[in-house]
Amino acid sequence: MSHQRRQRNGNNPKEQDFSSIRKVIRGAIRMPREIRPVAEKSQQEAVQITLEEPKSDLENGTNSSRDRELREHRTLCAPLLQAALKGDWKTGEAFLKKNPHCIALPITKEEGTALHNAAATKRTTFVKQLVKLMKPSDLELQTTEGCTALIFAVQSGSVTIAREMVEKNNKLPCIRKDDKMTPLGSAAWCGPRHKKMVSYLLSVTPYEHLTAHERTGLLLGTIHSDMFGMVLVSLNVVD
Protein backbone atom coordinates (compact mmCIF):
# COMPACT_ATOMS: atom_id res chain seq x y z
CA MET A 1 0.00 0.00 0.00
CA SER A 2 2.75 2.44 0.96
CA HIS A 3 4.61 1.60 -2.28
CA GLN A 4 1.50 2.42 -4.35
CA ARG A 5 1.03 5.66 -2.47
CA ARG A 6 4.61 6.73 -3.22
CA GLN A 7 4.07 6.10 -6.94
CA ARG A 8 0.85 8.12 -6.97
CA ASN A 9 2.61 11.00 -5.29
CA GLY A 10 5.40 10.93 -7.87
CA ASN A 11 8.01 9.92 -5.29
CA ASN A 12 9.46 7.00 -7.21
CA PRO A 13 13.23 7.28 -6.47
CA LYS A 14 14.25 5.97 -9.89
CA GLU A 15 12.01 8.44 -11.70
CA GLN A 16 13.32 11.26 -9.52
CA ASP A 17 16.88 10.33 -10.51
CA PHE A 18 16.05 10.51 -14.23
CA SER A 19 14.19 13.77 -13.70
CA SER A 20 17.21 15.26 -11.98
CA ILE A 21 19.51 14.16 -14.79
CA ARG A 22 17.21 15.76 -17.37
CA LYS A 23 17.28 19.05 -15.48
CA VAL A 24 21.06 18.97 -15.18
CA ILE A 25 21.52 18.33 -18.90
CA ARG A 26 19.04 21.04 -19.87
CA GLY A 27 20.68 23.48 -17.51
CA ALA A 28 24.22 22.65 -18.55
CA ILE A 29 23.70 22.89 -22.29
CA ARG A 30 22.64 26.19 -23.77
CA MET A 31 21.23 25.61 -27.22
CA PRO A 32 23.30 27.42 -29.88
CA ARG A 33 21.08 29.82 -31.81
CA GLU A 34 22.10 28.39 -35.17
CA ILE A 35 20.93 24.91 -34.13
CA ARG A 36 17.50 25.98 -32.91
CA PRO A 37 14.60 25.64 -35.35
CA VAL A 38 13.53 29.04 -36.64
CA ALA A 39 9.98 28.32 -35.53
CA GLU A 40 8.42 25.24 -34.05
CA LYS A 41 5.53 24.09 -36.21
CA SER A 42 2.73 21.73 -35.44
CA GLN A 43 2.67 18.43 -37.30
CA GLN A 44 -0.20 19.68 -39.46
CA GLU A 45 1.65 22.87 -40.38
CA ALA A 46 4.85 20.96 -41.10
CA VAL A 47 3.27 18.81 -43.79
CA GLN A 48 0.93 21.43 -45.21
CA ILE A 49 0.56 21.20 -48.96
CA THR A 50 -0.46 24.13 -51.09
CA LEU A 51 -3.07 22.92 -53.55
CA GLU A 52 -3.88 26.24 -55.18
CA GLU A 53 -3.36 26.43 -58.90
CA PRO A 54 -0.11 28.16 -59.94
CA LYS A 55 -0.81 31.68 -61.13
CA SER A 56 -0.79 32.47 -64.81
CA ASP A 57 2.06 34.37 -66.42
CA LEU A 58 -0.17 37.45 -66.61
CA GLU A 59 -0.97 37.28 -62.88
CA ASN A 60 2.66 36.72 -61.98
CA GLY A 61 3.91 39.36 -64.35
CA THR A 62 6.43 36.82 -65.61
CA ASN A 63 6.88 34.53 -68.55
CA SER A 64 8.60 31.74 -66.66
CA SER A 65 8.87 28.50 -68.58
CA ARG A 66 9.05 26.72 -65.22
CA ASP A 67 5.70 28.22 -64.18
CA ARG A 68 4.11 27.13 -67.43
CA GLU A 69 5.57 23.65 -67.08
CA LEU A 70 4.25 23.33 -63.53
CA ARG A 71 0.76 24.41 -64.60
CA GLU A 72 0.82 21.84 -67.36
CA HIS A 73 1.86 19.15 -64.89
CA ARG A 74 -0.90 20.16 -62.48
CA THR A 75 -3.53 20.04 -65.20
CA LEU A 76 -2.39 16.68 -66.50
CA CYS A 77 -1.78 15.09 -63.11
CA ALA A 78 -4.83 16.41 -61.24
CA PRO A 79 -6.41 12.92 -61.05
CA LEU A 80 -3.15 11.48 -59.68
CA LEU A 81 -2.84 14.22 -57.07
CA GLN A 82 -6.38 13.70 -55.85
CA ALA A 83 -5.88 9.94 -55.76
CA ALA A 84 -2.69 10.38 -53.71
CA LEU A 85 -4.41 12.66 -51.20
CA LYS A 86 -7.33 10.25 -50.82
CA GLY A 87 -5.21 7.10 -50.84
CA ASP A 88 -7.15 5.80 -53.83
CA TRP A 89 -4.61 3.45 -55.38
CA LYS A 90 -7.07 1.96 -57.87
CA THR A 91 -7.53 5.36 -59.51
CA GLY A 92 -3.85 6.20 -59.19
CA GLU A 93 -2.75 2.94 -60.77
CA ALA A 94 -5.18 3.35 -63.68
CA PHE A 95 -3.87 6.87 -64.31
CA LEU A 96 -0.22 5.77 -64.23
CA LYS A 97 -0.85 2.95 -66.68
CA LYS A 98 -1.95 5.57 -69.19
CA ASN A 99 0.59 8.19 -68.11
CA PRO A 100 3.66 6.40 -66.71
CA HIS A 101 5.85 9.48 -67.22
CA CYS A 102 3.82 11.32 -64.56
CA ILE A 103 4.98 9.13 -61.70
CA ALA A 104 7.64 11.57 -60.50
CA LEU A 105 6.44 14.89 -61.93
CA PRO A 106 6.18 17.90 -59.57
CA ILE A 107 2.46 18.62 -59.18
CA THR A 108 2.07 21.13 -56.33
CA LYS A 109 3.14 24.72 -55.82
CA GLU A 110 6.04 23.45 -53.69
CA GLU A 111 6.92 21.04 -56.54
CA GLY A 112 5.97 17.98 -54.54
CA THR A 113 5.31 14.73 -56.37
CA ALA A 114 2.48 12.25 -55.87
CA LEU A 115 4.75 10.46 -53.41
CA HIS A 116 5.26 13.62 -51.35
CA ASN A 117 1.51 14.11 -51.11
CA ALA A 118 0.70 10.51 -50.25
CA ALA A 119 3.42 10.47 -47.58
CA ALA A 120 2.24 13.74 -46.05
CA THR A 121 -1.31 12.42 -45.72
CA LYS A 122 -0.14 9.00 -44.45
CA ARG A 123 -1.65 6.98 -47.31
CA THR A 124 0.36 3.86 -46.54
CA THR A 125 -1.03 1.48 -49.17
CA PHE A 126 -0.77 4.11 -51.89
CA VAL A 127 2.85 4.81 -50.95
CA LYS A 128 3.79 1.14 -50.92
CA GLN A 129 2.34 0.52 -54.37
CA LEU A 130 3.73 3.75 -55.81
CA VAL A 131 7.25 3.11 -54.52
CA LYS A 132 7.26 -0.29 -56.23
CA LEU A 133 6.85 1.47 -59.58
CA MET A 134 9.41 4.21 -58.95
CA LYS A 135 13.13 4.23 -59.60
CA PRO A 136 15.31 4.72 -56.50
CA SER A 137 16.42 8.10 -57.84
CA ASP A 138 12.77 9.25 -58.03
CA LEU A 139 12.63 9.14 -54.24
CA GLU A 140 15.45 11.70 -54.06
CA LEU A 141 13.37 14.43 -55.72
CA GLN A 142 13.01 17.50 -53.51
CA THR A 143 10.47 20.27 -53.10
CA THR A 144 11.35 23.95 -53.36
CA GLU A 145 12.41 23.77 -49.69
CA GLY A 146 14.63 20.77 -50.28
CA CYS A 147 12.28 18.19 -48.76
CA THR A 148 12.33 14.64 -50.05
CA ALA A 149 9.21 12.54 -49.61
CA LEU A 150 11.00 10.93 -46.65
CA ILE A 151 10.96 14.27 -44.84
CA PHE A 152 7.19 14.40 -45.33
CA ALA A 153 6.90 10.87 -43.94
CA VAL A 154 9.05 11.86 -40.96
CA GLN A 155 6.91 14.89 -40.19
CA SER A 156 3.71 12.87 -40.51
CA GLY A 157 5.14 10.32 -38.08
CA SER A 158 4.62 7.19 -40.20
CA VAL A 159 7.51 4.81 -39.58
CA THR A 160 5.97 2.28 -41.98
CA ILE A 161 6.07 4.76 -44.85
CA ALA A 162 9.58 5.94 -43.95
CA ARG A 163 10.83 2.35 -43.89
CA GLU A 164 9.25 1.64 -47.28
CA MET A 165 11.17 4.52 -48.82
CA VAL A 166 14.52 3.82 -47.18
CA GLU A 167 14.39 0.17 -48.20
CA LYS A 168 14.00 1.38 -51.79
CA ASN A 169 16.80 3.96 -51.50
CA ASN A 170 19.14 3.88 -48.51
CA LYS A 171 20.66 7.24 -49.46
CA LEU A 172 17.55 9.09 -48.30
CA PRO A 173 18.50 9.44 -44.60
CA CYS A 174 21.53 11.52 -45.63
CA ILE A 175 19.74 13.94 -47.96
CA ARG A 176 19.44 17.30 -46.22
CA LYS A 177 16.75 19.93 -46.57
CA ASP A 178 17.67 23.46 -47.58
CA ASP A 179 18.13 24.27 -43.88
CA LYS A 180 20.81 21.52 -43.75
CA MET A 181 18.64 19.32 -41.52
CA THR A 182 18.72 15.55 -42.02
CA PRO A 183 15.53 13.47 -41.69
CA LEU A 184 16.85 12.24 -38.33
CA GLY A 185 17.51 15.79 -37.18
CA SER A 186 14.00 16.82 -38.24
CA ALA A 187 12.45 13.90 -36.35
CA ALA A 188 14.39 14.74 -33.19
CA TRP A 189 12.74 18.18 -33.04
CA CYS A 190 9.20 16.90 -33.71
CA GLY A 191 8.40 16.00 -30.12
CA PRO A 192 7.89 12.87 -27.99
CA ARG A 193 5.26 11.42 -30.33
CA HIS A 194 8.04 10.87 -32.88
CA LYS A 195 10.11 8.65 -30.60
CA LYS A 196 9.58 5.57 -32.80
CA MET A 197 10.59 7.57 -35.86
CA VAL A 198 13.78 8.77 -34.18
CA SER A 199 14.58 5.22 -33.10
CA TYR A 200 14.09 3.93 -36.65
CA LEU A 201 16.12 6.68 -38.30
CA LEU A 202 18.96 6.17 -35.84
CA SER A 203 19.16 2.59 -37.13
CA VAL A 204 19.45 3.61 -40.80
CA THR A 205 21.43 6.86 -40.65
CA PRO A 206 25.23 6.32 -40.89
CA TYR A 207 26.68 8.23 -37.92
CA GLU A 208 29.93 8.81 -39.78
CA HIS A 209 28.00 10.86 -42.35
CA LEU A 210 26.78 13.31 -39.71
CA THR A 211 28.85 16.39 -39.02
CA ALA A 212 29.77 17.37 -35.46
CA HIS A 213 27.25 20.19 -35.77
CA GLU A 214 24.51 17.74 -36.79
CA ARG A 215 25.36 15.38 -33.94
CA THR A 216 25.11 18.23 -31.46
CA GLY A 217 21.79 19.28 -32.97
CA LEU A 218 20.55 15.70 -32.68
CA LEU A 219 21.47 15.57 -29.00
CA LEU A 220 19.80 18.90 -28.27
CA GLY A 221 16.74 17.97 -30.30
CA THR A 222 16.15 14.78 -28.36
CA ILE A 223 16.58 16.65 -25.08
CA HIS A 224 14.21 19.37 -26.26
CA SER A 225 11.62 16.74 -27.24
CA ASP A 226 12.00 14.94 -23.91
CA MET A 227 13.07 11.66 -25.50
CA PHE A 228 15.55 10.81 -22.80
CA GLY A 229 16.20 7.27 -24.03
CA MET A 230 17.10 8.71 -27.41
CA VAL A 231 19.54 11.11 -25.72
CA LEU A 232 21.55 8.17 -24.44
CA VAL A 233 21.81 6.81 -27.97
CA SER A 234 22.70 10.24 -29.30
CA LEU A 235 25.52 10.60 -26.79
CA ASN A 236 27.24 7.71 -28.51
CA VAL A 237 27.56 9.72 -31.71
CA VAL A 238 28.66 13.04 -30.24
CA ASP A 239 32.41 13.61 -30.24
Side-chain angles (χ1 to χ4, degrees):
M1 179 68 71
S2 60
H3 175 68
Q4 292 177 341
R5 187 177 297 114
R6 283 199 301 272
Q7 285 188 322
R8 288 195 197 100
N9 293 335
N11 294 324
N12 187 309
K14 187 174 182 179
E15 178 58 34
Q16 285 184 328
D17 289 343
F18 280 118
S19 178
S20 298
I21 293 172
R22 291 189 188 98
K23 290 179 181 178
V24 169
I25 293 176
R26 286 196 177 102
I29 302 177
R30 177 169 294 180
M31 196 181 307
R33 184 174 299 276
E34 64 272 16
I35 294 179
R36 303 175 195 172
V38 175
E40 294 182 29
K41 299 181 179 180
S42 68
Q43 178 176 321
Q44 183 177 5
E45 291 174 324
V47 298
Q48 184 176 4
I49 302 168
T50 304
L51 299 178
E52 64 186 43
E53 194 70 30
K55 294 181 179 180
S56 67
D57 295 337
L58 183 60
E59 291 174 308
N60 277 328
T62 66
N63 190 29
S64 167
S65 60
R66 182 58 179 169
D67 288 341
R68 290 197 302 274
E69 184 179 48
L70 185 56
R71 284 199 304 278
E72 291 171 0
H73 291 170
R74 279 294 306 279
T75 300
L76 173 62
C77 299
L80 179 60
L81 174 59
Q82 292 302 320
L85 294 173
K86 295 176 182 178
D88 181 0
W89 175 244
K90 183 177 180 180
T91 298
E93 182 180 31
F95 177 86
L96 288 171
K97 284 182 178 179
K98 295 179 180 179
N99 306 277
H101 64 288
C102 292
I103 195 166
L105 288 182
I107 52 179
T108 63
K109 182 179 180 180
E110 297 85 0
E111 300 191 17
T113 64
L115 184 61
H116 283 89
N117 289 275
T121 49
K122 303 175 75 170
R123 305 303 185 183
T124 305
T125 299
F126 194 99
V127 168
K128 286 183 176 181
Q129 297 302 322
L130 186 61
V131 166
K132 289 178 183 178
L133 301 178
M134 301 180 82
K135 297 180 294 185
S137 59
D138 290 338
L139 277 67
E140 298 178 16
L141 294 172
Q142 296 168 282
T143 65
T144 52
E145 293 186 351
C147 296
T148 62
L150 176 60
I151 290 290
F152 279 50
V154 167
Q155 293 171 335
S156 73
S158 175
V159 175
T160 301
I161 289 178
R163 182 181 292 111
E164 200 72 27
M165 295 180 185
V166 174
E167 288 179 354
K168 182 79 173 189
N169 185 336
N170 62 11
K171 297 178 183 178
L172 296 178
C174 293
I175 297 179
R176 280 80 170 165
K177 299 191 297 179
D178 286 353
D179 62 6
K180 308 303 181 184
M181 189 81 77
T182 63
L184 174 57
S186 295
W189 287 99
C190 283
R193 288 183 297 178
H194 282 63
K195 184 175 181 179
K196 290 183 179 179
M197 181 65 74
V198 172
S199 179
Y200 169 67
L201 291 173
L202 279 168
S203 72
V204 295
T205 303
Y207 298 147
E208 64 273 16
H209 291 180
L210 298 178
T211 66
H213 183 79
E214 288 171 334
R215 295 177 184 184
T216 301
L218 173 60
L219 171 62
L220 296 178
T222 53
I223 293 173
H224 168 81
S225 297
D226 202 26
M227 292 184 279
F228 191 60
M230 298 297 100
V231 172
L232 299 180
V233 176
S234 300
L235 285 172
N236 292 328
V237 301
V238 176
D239 293 332

